[in-house]
Amino acid sequence: MDKFISEHLYNKDVEVYFGGDGNQRLRGRVVGSADGVLVLENGGRRDYVNIEKVIAAWEV
């Protein structure tokens, strides 16, 4: 999934879904993806996400 994110979603605004209720989501601009970690930036904050926990992602 690192390669897909790097090639198709890099520098785009996305929302990622982790399952469960609708609150299990994060939004941000993709600023990196390597070694199984997705890096999202939103409002000056960086979130580091374990890609194995992501069920779906889409552009927003």
Side-chain angles (χ1 to χ4, degrees):
M1 189 148 184
D2 282 329
K3 184 175 178 181
F4 176 84
I5 290 169
S6 296
E7 292 178 1
H8 300 283
L9 297 176
Y10 183 76
N11 207 30
K12 294 187 179 179
D13 291 321
V14 299
E15 184 170 84
V16 294
Y17 174 65
F18 304 100
D21 62 31
N23 295 327
Q24 306 249 337
R25 300 175 184 199
L26 283 175
R27 277 188 174 206
R29 180 169 298 268
V30 176
V31 295
S33 178
D35 300 324
V37 177
L38 168 63
V39 184
L40 300 175
E41 189 170 76
N42 189 2
R45 183 185 81 197
R46 283 198 172 188
D47 297 315
Y48 301 90
V49 179
N50 179 347
I51 288 179
E52 291 181 13
K53 300 295 182 184
V54 174
I55 293 174
W58 51 88
E59 290 184 54
V60 292

